[in-house]
């Protein structure tokens, strides 16, 4: 953690951190270091982080109709919602809390013989059903649609995050202390996306567009899936379109970051100018002079740096990744951008390699659990299966020991390996 998080404002501090966020940051930094060291030679095998990446298929369906829209995003962690109302012993938990109301003041220490509150037991099946359930009320092209998510591919290693943390009625972050029995074998093949099905009709790109939009000359247009995600967060549609175009349609996360940086711009909620054009005052986004100076000081020419920054939506880190990953032929890579070739949408370079795929049958190999009552304090430990007998080992900072009874039902992040994956 000291090595990976040394330049991060949160992970370099002594404050309690989220293990899922740190793990994703670790994979991102590892990929960046691999691209910097290997450049285009990395394309043959792909970065280490690709072992965890999978395509998430999202389907928008017209209410009462047959029109649909499919899109795919790249993820490295399957987040599953954990809800107290799904507990199979909810009545027992509610009865105990009614009989033993929690005291807001300092609690008296427990004594021998005091009744212990039963932990809610939430089946994994209900969380998977929530993941697969249709989400209604999504606004898309002036109509209301439903959205469903499925796994487009099955990664070699699957990270499953049980989302135990939530914001309570006082708007304070809290932790749901519950048991979720996790299976040693996990089958996800029935959650696989199958794309457009017979009888479905995809939304047309031109026919459904407003008349004004049809008259616009050709140019970079906002990715509608990115716009939908931003609008669902109460961001105005025009602002969402500007954010998508300004970040080269690189994804909702980059667009959200752009929006918060430019939410004070006077034209942020104005319609896009003809031919696309990002927000903040013009079709051609300005290059940050500080970013230009920083990247140029690394030995890259100014035209190359400008092209990288524009392709990566102005992000200095992603532009640096792009430059290093194309260092073998920067002139050719910049020329490809001019022809509409690979941009900087994903973590670095031109055309993304497809996600690894296989049969969605998995075996548990490890998990991370959080010891503590809330998100602002506590301690993380990791359990891993080791050896031919599949025995468990606990990793607790510098301490490593055999674990006789690992708390399988109390984990936060679980690591599964695909059964047909090479070892």
């Amino acid at each position: 953690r000291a090595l990976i998080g040394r330049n991060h404002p949160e992970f370099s501090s002594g404050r309690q951190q989220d293990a899922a966020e740190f793990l994703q940051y670790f994979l991102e930094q590892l990929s960046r270091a691999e691209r910097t060291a290997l450049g285009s030679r990395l394309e043959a095998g792909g970065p280490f982080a690709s072992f965890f990446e999978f395509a998430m298929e999202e389907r928008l369906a017209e209410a009462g109709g047959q029109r649909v829209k499919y899109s795919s995003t790249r993820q490295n962690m399957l987040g599953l919602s954990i809800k107290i109302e799904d507990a199979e012993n909810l009545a027992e938990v509610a009865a105990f809390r009614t009989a033993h109301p929690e005291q807001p003041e300092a609690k008296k220490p427990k004594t021998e013989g005091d009744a212990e509150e039963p932990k809610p037991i939430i089946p994994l099946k209900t969380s998977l059903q929530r993941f697969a359930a249709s989400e209604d009320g999504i606004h898309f092209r002036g109509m209301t649609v439903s959205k469903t998510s499925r796994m487009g591919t099955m990664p070699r290693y699957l990270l499953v995050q049980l989302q135990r943390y939530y914001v309570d009625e006082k708007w304070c972050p809290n932790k749901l202390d519950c048991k979720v029995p996790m299976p040693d074998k996990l089958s996800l093949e029935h959650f696989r996306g199958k794309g457009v099905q017979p009888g479905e009709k995809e939304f047309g790109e031109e026919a459904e567009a407003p008349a004004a939009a049809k008259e616009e000359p050709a140019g970079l247009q906002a990715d509608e899936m990115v716009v939908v995600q931003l609008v669902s967060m109460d961001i105005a549609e025009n602002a969402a379109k500007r954010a998508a175009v300004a970040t080269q349609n690189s994804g909702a996360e980059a667009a959200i970051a752009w929006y918060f940086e430019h939410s004070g711009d006077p034209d942020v909620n104005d319609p896009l100018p003809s031919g696309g054009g990002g927000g903040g005052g013009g079709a051609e986004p300005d290059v940050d002079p500080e970013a230009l100076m920083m990247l140029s000081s690394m030995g890259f020419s100014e035209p190359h740096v400008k092209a990288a920054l524009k392709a990566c939506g102005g992000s200095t880190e992603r532009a640096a990744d792009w430059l290093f990953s194309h260092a073998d032929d920067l002139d050719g890579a910049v020329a490809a951008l001019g022809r509409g070739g690979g941009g900087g949408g994903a973590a670095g370079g031109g055309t993304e390699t497809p996600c690894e795929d296989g049969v969605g049958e998995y075996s548990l190999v490890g998990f991370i659990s959080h010891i503590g009552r809330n998100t602002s304090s506590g301690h993380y430990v990791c359990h891993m299966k080791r050896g031919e007998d599949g025995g468990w080992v606990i990793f607790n900072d510098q301490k490593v020991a055999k674990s006789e009874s690992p708390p399988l039902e109390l984990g936060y992040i679980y690591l599964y390996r695909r059964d047909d994956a090479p070892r």
Side-chain angles (χ1 to χ4, degrees):
R1 172 181 167 181
L3 175 64
I4 297 296
R6 60 184 176 184
N7 295 320
H8 192 280
E10 282 296 322
F11 299 137
S12 60
S13 71
R15 294 186 290 270
Q16 176 74 20
Q17 310 298 337
D18 180 66
E21 292 179 2
F22 179 79
L23 182 53
Q24 290 179 315
Y25 180 74
F26 168 73
L27 291 173
E28 177 187 338
Q29 295 302 305
L30 187 59
S31 295
R32 179 173 291 126
E34 289 175 324
R35 287 193 298 270
T36 301
L38 299 176
S40 60
R41 290 174 293 166
L42 184 62
E43 299 302 323
F48 173 76
S50 65
F51 291 150
F52 303 88
E53 293 177 346
F54 58 94
M56 182 67 78
E57 178 189 280
E58 291 187 347
R59 175 182 180 270
L60 297 180
E62 179 184 20
Q66 295 180 326
R67 292 184 299 176
V68 296
K69 181 175 180 62
Y70 285 84
S71 65
S72 179
T73 58
R74 205 177 183 103
Q75 299 186 15
N76 60 7
M77 190 174 292
L78 179 62
L80 298 179
S81 178
I82 305 297
K83 300 292 185 181
I84 183 66
E85 53 263 34
D86 293 334
E88 57 187 17
N89 62 335
L90 184 59
E92 179 188 359
V93 173
F96 181 92
R97 293 179 177 177
T98 301
H100 304 81
E102 186 174 347
Q103 300 178 8
E105 304 299 330
K107 298 179 182 179
K108 62 179 182 180
K110 285 188 177 181
T111 60
E112 187 175 352
D114 284 351
E116 184 174 348
E117 179 177 352
K119 280 184 169 59
I121 302 174
I122 302 175
L124 177 65
K125 180 181 178 180
T126 60
S127 296
L128 288 171
Q129 289 172 344
R130 283 186 177 274
F131 158 73
S134 175
E135 181 182 354
D136 300 324
I138 304 296
H139 296 287
F140 175 71
R141 291 186 181 179
M143 66 183 75
T144 301
V145 299
S146 61
K147 183 178 78 171
T148 54
S149 298
R150 294 291 186 272
M151 296 184 68
T153 59
M154 300 292 170
R156 182 179 304 193
Y157 291 96
L158 176 66
L159 291 167
V160 179
Q161 177 197 24
L162 300 186
Q163 296 170 345
R164 296 176 175 271
Y165 302 130
Y166 66 98
V167 177
D168 62 19
E169 63 277 2
K170 298 179 181 179
W171 294 94
C172 295
N174 216 326
K175 175 184 174 182
L176 180 57
D177 189 15
C178 64
K179 294 182 178 181
V180 182
M182 295 296 288
D184 188 62
K185 295 287 185 178
L186 181 63
S187 178
L188 295 175
E189 195 61 34
H190 53 294
F191 293 107
R192 181 188 288 273
K194 296 179 173 60
V196 181
Q197 296 298 295
E200 293 181 338
K201 181 181 177 182
E202 291 190 270
F203 282 101
E205 295 299 328
E206 296 295 335
E208 313 303 328
K214 295 180 183 178
E215 299 172 0
E216 292 182 359
L220 180 62
Q221 301 299 316
D223 186 311
E224 292 179 348
M225 294 304 296
V226 174
V227 174
V228 166
Q229 293 181 62
L230 267 65
V231 170
S232 69
M233 300 174 62
D234 295 328
I235 295 175
E237 183 175 355
N238 285 334
K241 289 181 177 179
R242 283 180 172 268
V245 171
T247 55
Q248 303 289 306
N249 292 324
S250 58
E253 185 176 344
I256 292 168
W258 184 94
Y259 171 76
F260 284 119
E261 290 176 5
H262 296 82
S263 59
D265 293 356
D267 62 347
V268 71
N269 290 313
D270 294 343
L272 281 170
S274 297
E284 185 76 12
D286 293 331
V287 173
D288 184 353
E290 291 185 7
L292 178 62
M293 182 183 304
M294 180 186 302
L295 295 174
S296 297
S297 68
M298 298 179 181
F300 298 107
S301 68
E302 186 171 309
H304 290 162
V305 172
K306 285 184 176 180
L309 284 168
K310 290 175 182 177
C312 297
S315 169
T316 306
E317 287 189 353
R318 288 172 48 227
D321 287 345
W322 190 92
L323 289 164
F324 281 116
S325 64
H326 294 84
D328 292 348
D329 184 16
L330 277 172
D331 289 332
V334 171
L337 288 176
R339 296 191 299 269
T351 304
E352 275 191 324
T353 57
C355 295
E356 183 179 321
D357 198 9
V359 180
E361 303 292 335
Y362 288 89
S363 297
L364 181 64
V365 293
F367 65 98
I368 296 172
S369 53
H370 175 257
I371 303 171
R373 294 182 60 87
N374 54 59
T375 60
S376 60
S377 62
H379 183 64
Y380 286 104
V381 297
C382 177
H383 288 78
M384 294 293 294
K385 279 187 176 181
R386 301 294 292 271
E388 296 296 330
D389 60 347
W392 288 95
V393 175
I394 181 173
F395 295 81
N396 183 2
D397 290 338
Q398 291 85 4
K399 300 177 182 178
V400 180
K402 186 176 181 180
S403 178
E404 297 292 346
S405 302
L408 286 169
E409 69 280 2
L410 298 177
Y412 175 45
I413 301 171
Y414 293 83
L415 175 63
Y416 282 87
R417 180 171 54 215
R418 205 176 67 232
D419 291 343
D420 63 358
R423 302 193 182 188

